[in-house]
């Protein structure tokens, strides 16, 4: 990766110290780094004591058969008990666990005591349907409280869940049901999206016609929209009937710390999706600890909101397991940020007095595009800490987020992690770190990460390479479901004894880490490695650009040529000369080698439901190829829009 261009990512030279009141009351202070460095395993053993164990673990890590880790192996606990019952037992049954906000404006507050009753009923219902410990349950739901209840009910009976995004197709659902050999599917008739009911159940029916789904015995259906849906009697059961008639009491059984908690599929660049397997004790320890440390959660007073969907790992770790293990009060929102108006999120922050907000750079850039005046109409003064996850956050978006959402007052924590890591790994601490916009900065206490070159040697400060994790961590994936060999090949073979995450990164002069995106996205231009992230960041630092996606397209002269797709701010028409101006701008920021050969203004970019740009599809467009798999796109029609803008032959420079 080109070292000289790191300078661009760092054009924002301001540093932001933690506000005095956050620093003074911080849950985790600088001493944590020292304690963890001195005795890493002792530090994690101490964090495990945040949980209630039926049998306390005596062993922290068993690494005798790397990379197959066992954390807290002789401990026993129940995850749902930790997330629900123990808060009721501690006298906090009346505390709101979930403030549910439906897209149509309906709302519902669920206390910990109510959550305990509902989870118990759902666990009893699963038992009645014959779901036994170890059986897999697929969950295909909108963002409604029953989705959380369903996950916790599975955890309670030790039945690993596999949550599949509500927006995935019947095909994607069928593949995942088959791979995990699920016995029951929990779904809803539909959910509300963009102001209208959107059906879910028909996709389940279609998925269940596939031979691979033959072992599904029952479909448990939540009535959310009331729309007409097909029904297979004997197989399909209404949630309100099957769950509603159950006893509100259920005794949670303790399971081994290495009992599987869930499988979550993550699509690699090629091949079938990988079923990432997480287990209980280590996972819950790290999600609870990081949520406590990075959001500085004060459960009595904070109102936390993570805008992710439960269908991806951020929803698992930071809507369900982390916050609830910590006894948090949180917001759960069903819909889109612009229904019925572009200020809906900020209206929700004002309504519930949200203090901690966790969202993705793509959402922040979308809000920037809609204009500063929109958040300005709402009272956002309750906010205390802002988090970002999912993609590198460019310095412009970071600074905008802090200024326009955080009132120029709140810390912004850029948290790097993956489905595979289970929990946050690299992030500032809000009460400790002098924040650098655009950088995830430092591994959290107890985490060891470093940047290495092609040969696996640690790079010097100021240089770039591959981000690797050098020591096992409690919430690490245990394997790929049913495929240990693929687990070894994918993550542990590139660098001996280390986990390779697939991301490029740089260390700046202070040793702080800057993420540069997936290494598959790095472009090779005339012998130079150029990161798509850096060119995108340079483009969005131009006042006319709201969003940018950059890909390398095969080029006979330069190996790859840089192709940029940009969204203009405020949606205004493209003025003459803008493309030239943008090319000159990138050239000035990064050097002439990084100047895009082609720049195309588009209305939308292809994104997954978790907000990540699908550069693979843009590469197909840029190389005039037939499009690859579009099933994970939020809106497959976006690709037609982009292709229709494309001149029939690539323009000459
Ligand atoms: C949590 C989540 C993982 C990939 C990861 C990286 C990118 C996530 C990031 C980030 C830069 C951050 N990513 N957080 N890149 N800065 N703060 O997103 O999991 O869906 O598995 O994606 O997302 O490329 O490798 P997942």
């Amino acid at each position: 990766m080109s070292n000289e261009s790191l300078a661009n990512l760092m054009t924002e030279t301001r540093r932001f110290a933690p506000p005095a009141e956050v620093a003074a009351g911080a849950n985790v202070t600088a001493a944590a780094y020292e304690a963890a460095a001195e005795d890493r395993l002792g530090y994690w053993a101490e964090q495990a004591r945040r949980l209630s164990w039926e049998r306390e673990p005596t062993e922290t890590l068993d690494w005798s058969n790397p990379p197959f880790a066992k954390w807290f192996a002789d401990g026993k606990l129940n995850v749902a008990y930790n997330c629900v019952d123990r808060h009721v037992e501690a006298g906090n049954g009346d505390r709101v666990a979930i403030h549910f906000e439906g897209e149509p404006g309906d709302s519902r507050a669920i206390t910990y005591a109510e959550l305990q009753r509902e989870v118990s009923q759902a666990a009893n219902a699963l038992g009645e349907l014959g779901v036994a410990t170890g059986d897999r349950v697929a969950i295909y739901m909108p963002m409604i409280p029953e989705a959380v209840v369903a996950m916790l009910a599975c955890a309670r009976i030790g039945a690993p869940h596999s949550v599949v995004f509500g927006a995935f197709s019947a095909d994607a659902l069928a593949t995942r049901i088959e791979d995990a050999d699920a016995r029951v599917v929990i779904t809803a008739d539909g959910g509300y999206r963009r102001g209208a009911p959107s059906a879910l159940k028909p996709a389940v029916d279609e998925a269940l016609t596939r031979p691979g789904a033959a072992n599904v015995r029952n479909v448990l259906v939540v009535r959310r929209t009331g729309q007409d849906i097909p029904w297979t009697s004997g197989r399909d059961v209404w949630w309100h009937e099957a769950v509603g008639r159950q006893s509100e009491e259920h005794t949670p059984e303790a399971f081994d710390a290495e009992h599987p908690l869930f499988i979550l599929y993550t699509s690699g660049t090629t091949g079938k999706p990988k079923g990432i397997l997480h287990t209980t004790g280590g996972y819950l320890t790290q999600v609870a600890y990081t949520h406590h440390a990075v959001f500085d959660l004060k459960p009595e007073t904070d109102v936390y909101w993570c805008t992710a969907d439960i269908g991806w790992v951020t929803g698992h770790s930071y809507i369900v397991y982390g916050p609830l293990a910590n006894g948090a009060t949180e917001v759960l929102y069903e819909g889109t940020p612009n229904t019925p108006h572009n200020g809906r999120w900020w209206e929700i922050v004002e309504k519930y007095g949200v203090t901690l907000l966790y969202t993705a750079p793509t959402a922040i850039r979308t809000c920037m595009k809609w204009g500063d005046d929109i958040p300005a109409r709402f009272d956002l003064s309750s906010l205390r800490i802002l988090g970002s996850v999912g993609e590198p956050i460019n310095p412009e978006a970071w600074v905008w987020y802090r200024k326009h959402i955080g009132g120029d007052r709140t810390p912004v924590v850029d948290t790097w992690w993956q489905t595979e890591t289970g929990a946050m790994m690299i992030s500032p601490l809000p009460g400790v770190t002098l924040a650098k916009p655009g950088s995830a900065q430092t591994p959290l206490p107890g985490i060891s990460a470093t940047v290495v070159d092609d040969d696996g040697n640690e790079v010097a400060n100021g240089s770039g390479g591959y981000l690797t994790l050098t020591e096992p961590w409690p919430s690490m994936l245990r394997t790929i479901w049913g495929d240990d060999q693929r687990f070894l090949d994918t993550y542990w073979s590139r660098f001996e004894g280390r986990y390779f995450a697939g991301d490029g990164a740089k260390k700046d002069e202070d040793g702080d880490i800057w993420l540069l995106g997936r290494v598959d996205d790095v472009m090779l231009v005339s012998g130079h490695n150029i990161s798509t992230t850096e060119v995108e960041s340079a483009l969005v630092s131009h006042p006319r650009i709201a969003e940018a996606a950059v890909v390398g397209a095969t080029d006979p002269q330069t190996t790859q040529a840089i192709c940029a797709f940009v969204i203009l701010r405020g949606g205004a028409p493209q003025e003459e000369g803008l493309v030239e101006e943008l090319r000159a701008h990138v050239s000035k920021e990064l050097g002439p080698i990084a100047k895009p050969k082609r720049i195309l203004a588009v209305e939308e970019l292809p994104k997954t439901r978790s907000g990540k740009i699908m550069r693979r599809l843009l590469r197909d467009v840029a190389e005039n190829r037939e499009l690859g798999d579009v099933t994970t796109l939020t809106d497959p029609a976006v690709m037609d829009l982009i292709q229709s803008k494309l001149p029939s032959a690539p323009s000459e420079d």
Side-chain angles (χ1 to χ4, degrees), residues 1-5 464-466 504-506 516 519 522 529-531 534:
M1 244 141 300
S2 54
N3 297 336
E4 61 282 10
S5 56
Y466 306 92
K506 280 179 177 170
L516 296 177
V519 288
V522 170
N529 284 321
I530 299 178
S531 111
E534 287 179 302

Side-chain angles (χ1 to χ4, degrees), residues 266 312-314 388-393 414-420 501 503 515 517-518 610 612:
T266 170
W312 70 300
V313 73
T314 305
S388 172
V389 60
E391 282 205 295
I393 178 165
D414 174 14
T415 63
W416 178 89
W417 58 292
Q418 308 177 298
T419 304
E420 292 86 341
D503 282 358
L515 275 307
R518 308 291 301 168
S610 65
K612 294 191 209 316

Side-chain angles (χ1 to χ4, degrees), residues 197-269:
S198 145
L200 272 180
K201 174 72 167 39
V204 177
D205 292 322
E206 197 188 325
L208 295 190
T209 61
R210 312 292 156 86
N215 288 334
V216 172
R217 288 185 305 250
N218 291 107
V219 180
L220 191 53
V221 190
V222 176
R223 184 140 73 200
R224 165 66 180 142
T225 58
Q227 63 203 119
D228 271 343
I229 49 165
W231 200 257
T232 304
S233 58
R235 184 196 71 186
D236 299 349
V237 220
W238 283 114
W239 172 284
H240 56 267
E241 289 170 5
V243 174
R245 65 165 175 265
Q246 303 295 327
S247 154
E248 292 177 346
E249 273 166 39
H250 177 275
T251 310
E253 182 191 335
F255 300 105
D256 289 345
E258 284 296 341
H259 188 80
L261 178 61
F262 65 82
I263 304 166
L264 182 58
Y265 287 86
T266 170
S267 41
T269 36

Side-chain angles (χ1 to χ4, degrees), residues 5-27:
S5 56
L6 177 60
N8 170 67
L9 278 175
M10 298 172 64
T11 45
E12 175 54 68
T13 50
R14 278 178 293 169
R15 299 289 172 258
F16 298 88
E21 63 281 11
V22 177
N27 286 348

Side-chain angles (χ1 to χ4, degrees), residues 86-340:
R86 65 169 176 157
H87 306 310
V88 179
E89 287 170 14
N92 295 319
D94 292 338
R95 180 186 297 163
V96 172
I98 297 173
H99 283 294
F100 171 64
E101 176 84 8
E103 199 193 71
D106 56 323
S107 64
R108 193 180 148 200
I110 302 165
T111 64
Y112 274 96
E114 287 164 337
L115 191 61
Q116 184 185 31
R117 291 196 285 271
E118 285 198 32
V119 171
S120 297
Q121 285 187 306
N124 286 326
L126 290 175
E128 194 179 277
L129 293 174
V131 179
T133 300
D135 284 353
R136 276 80 57 205
V137 174
I139 298 179
Y140 184 67
M141 300 269 264
M143 286 284 288
I144 55 176
E146 287 81 357
V148 179
V149 172
M151 290 164 76
L152 291 169
C154 289
R156 196 174 185 95
I157 63 170
H161 55 68
S162 160
V163 182
V164 180
F165 254 146
F168 275 1
S169 64
D171 260 338
L173 176 61
T175 318
R176 287 159 176 76
I177 288 174
E178 178 174 0
D179 188 78
D181 192 17
R183 298 307 156 98
V184 165
V185 181
I186 308 179
T187 188
D189 50 357
Y192 291 94
R193 270 201 99 67
R194 300 184 201 286
S198 145
L200 272 180
K201 174 72 167 39
V204 177
D205 292 322
E206 197 188 325
L208 295 190
T209 61
R210 312 292 156 86
N215 288 334
V216 172
R217 288 185 305 250
N218 291 107
V219 180
L220 191 53
V221 190
V222 176
R223 184 140 73 200
R224 165 66 180 142
T225 58
Q227 63 203 119
D228 271 343
I229 49 165
W231 200 257
T232 304
S233 58
R235 184 196 71 186
D236 299 349
V237 220
W238 283 114
W239 172 284
H240 56 267
E241 289 170 5
V243 174
R245 65 165 175 265
Q246 303 295 327
S247 154
E248 292 177 346
E249 273 166 39
H250 177 275
T251 310
E253 182 191 335
F255 300 105
D256 289 345
E258 284 296 341
H259 188 80
L261 178 61
F262 65 82
I263 304 166
L264 182 58
Y265 287 86
T266 170
S267 41
T269 36
T270 52
K272 69 171 187 160
K274 302 186 283 285
I276 303 301
L277 179 70
H278 283 288
T279 56
T280 47
Y283 172 81
L284 199 63
T285 296
Q286 194 173 331
V287 295
Y289 166 70
T290 50
H291 186 255
H292 162 87
V294 174
F295 281 107
D296 192 42
L297 177 83
K298 309 286 192 268
E300 300 78 20
T301 46
D302 274 320
V303 178
Y304 166 79
W305 180 22
C306 168
T307 67
D309 193 286
I310 54 142
W312 70 300
V313 73
T314 305
H316 284 59
S317 301
Y318 298 104
I319 293 178
V320 183
Y321 295 112
L324 296 177
N326 289 339
T329 294
E330 65 177 331
V331 171
L332 184 77
Y333 172 55
E334 179 182 30
T336 51
N338 53 348
T339 307

